[in-house]
Amino acid sequence: MERHQVFDRALLLKRRLRAARQHGSSADFLLGRAADDLEERLSAVERRFDVAVDLAGHNGLGAQALLRSGKVESILRVEHDASFLDRSFPGVVADEEALPLKAGSIDLIISLLSLHQTNDTPGTLLQIRRALKPDGLFLGAMAGENTLGELRECLLAAESEIYGGASPRVAPFADVRDVGALLQRAGFTLPVTDIETYTVRYDTGFHLMRDLRAMGMQNVLLGRSRKPVSRRFFARVAEIYAERFSDPDGRIRATFSFIWMSGWAAHESQQKPLKPGSAKAKLADFLTSVENLEKK
């Protein structure tokens, strides 16, 4: 059965390539932050990895973070286009939805801010898990549901006001609980998810939209409207943004939410969940303790 398609991935690649050509690394601050967070998270993992893959990182910052961590022997980059690769690390060209990795061949796979724009995210996670060796680790970040919430609200308000209706203009982002369920569904053991939220301030809404273009993050939804919009529309978006989401100094706020996820490929050495009925304390005993504590 064919899966429901949400994103125009050919257009997504085209816009990312154009952004890289026209803007270079001028708007890499989100990927840079994710790479720094990745390095910090790896520092808490008490083991080394022989072979690691940086999956669809676009600019190599994830691979550089792996190198700085000192915990990886060799690094392979997998990118959707050869233009994203350089001579710093070996790489292969492949769509992240069709990984060319042999089953059980990789010790560590990382993915920074790309999985939220895959049409088959469950299938991609399953491929990642299959590519890992037993006790291999997946560590990734994807955009969460609060990302660009302010811009979404302003686009909706402006379009309804000017055109009398609205079409999808900001991608639907995942909920952290849904991501945890996807990790379990893909067969990862010891899955963990958490959220990091960042607020970025801009002079105007136009400056925010300029950065989004420099990231290649324009609207690539298949359900997007193909009708051209006027300069008046974007001017009204900026006005509404300033009215609703500006600080006392006049600058506006933009929220970016990262859902971090980690999971392991199964191995007999890993901690196993307790069998039903094997707990030494009863749930009723715990609830009684809580009740007594709250009354004090």
Side-chain angles (χ1 to χ4, degrees):
M1 182 177 65
E2 185 178 352
R3 285 189 173 274
H4 177 61
Q5 303 291 296
V6 177
F7 301 105
D8 184 340
R9 290 195 38 91
L11 179 61
L12 171 64
L13 177 59
K14 179 180 178 180
R15 288 183 170 172
R16 282 176 172 168
L17 289 170
R18 183 173 62 188
R21 287 193 306 268
Q22 294 181 351
H23 304 280
S25 59
S26 64
D28 281 348
F29 63 93
L30 286 178
L31 276 167
R33 183 58 187 261
D36 290 343
D37 289 351
L38 170 74
E39 187 177 355
E40 181 178 348
R41 288 166 184 268
L42 274 177
S43 68
V45 181
E46 297 181 355
R47 60 168 289 184
R48 291 182 60 83
F49 302 92
D50 291 335
V51 181
V53 167
D54 175 13
L55 177 60
H58 308 306
N59 59 6
L61 292 179
Q64 293 171 24
L66 290 175
L67 186 63
R68 290 195 305 269
S69 74
K71 295 194 172 187
V72 177
E73 294 296 328
S74 60
I75 300 168
L76 173 70
R77 292 183 61 199
V78 176
E79 295 291 349
H80 205 163
D81 191 275
S83 300
F84 297 126
L85 300 171
D86 56 34
R87 297 182 179 180
S88 302
F89 303 94
V92 296
V93 176
D95 189 332
E96 58 264 41
E97 291 191 314
L99 295 183
L101 304 174
K102 293 182 180 179
S105 63
I106 310 297
D107 300 280
L108 169 66
I109 297 177
I110 67 163
S111 173
L112 300 182
L113 305 184
S114 64
L115 287 179
H116 56 273
Q117 289 186 306
T118 52
N119 282 316
D120 185 11
T121 308
T124 303
L125 288 171
L126 179 61
Q127 291 181 67
I128 290 172
R129 199 265 301 162
R130 286 176 174 170
L132 290 172
K133 294 178 181 178
D135 207 30
L137 173 64
F138 167 63
L139 185 58
M142 64 191 298
E145 64 178 340
N146 293 325
T147 297
L148 296 175
E150 303 93 343
L151 179 60
R152 187 195 311 271
E153 179 178 325
C154 296
L155 287 167
L156 177 63
E159 191 168 10
S160 298
E161 176 184 311
I162 294 174
Y163 299 111
S167 61
R169 294 186 179 274
V170 177
F173 297 117
D175 175 86
V176 64
R177 293 166 295 185
D178 293 335
V179 173
L182 288 178
L183 289 174
Q184 291 183 316
R185 177 179 169 184
F188 287 99
T189 62
L190 308 177
V192 175
T193 57
D194 64 89
I195 299 178
E196 297 281 354
T197 299
Y198 310 101
T199 300
V200 182
R201 301 206 312 147
Y202 289 92
D203 288 340
T204 69
F206 288 109
H207 290 83
L208 166 61
M209 289 183 277
R210 182 188 61 190
D211 256 7
L212 295 178
R213 286 194 299 271
M215 298 176 197
M217 287 181 63
Q218 302 104 306
N219 186 1
V220 294
L221 293 169
L222 285 169
R224 68 190 183 279
S225 172
R226 266 57 169 189
K227 296 180 180 179
V229 293
S230 64
R231 294 177 61 87
R232 175 187 169 216
F233 168 72
F234 289 110
R236 184 59 182 137
V237 170
E239 290 175 355
I240 295 172
Y241 211 126
E243 292 167 1
R244 299 185 183 184
F245 302 107
S246 62
D247 290 328
D249 62 0
R251 304 191 79 200
I252 64 165
R253 304 180 302 277
T255 299
F256 295 92
S257 178
F258 297 172
I259 297 179
W260 279 95
M261 49 194 156
S262 66
W264 298 81
H267 188 266
E268 59 183 9
S269 66
Q270 292 169 354
Q271 181 180 352
K272 303 295 190 300
L274 292 174
K275 295 180 180 179
S278 62
K280 293 183 179 180
K282 295 180 180 179
L283 179 60
D285 293 338
F286 171 74
L287 294 176
T288 300
S289 300
V290 171
E291 183 182 3
N292 291 337
L293 179 65
E294 291 174 345
K295 288 181 179 180
K296 291 180 180 179

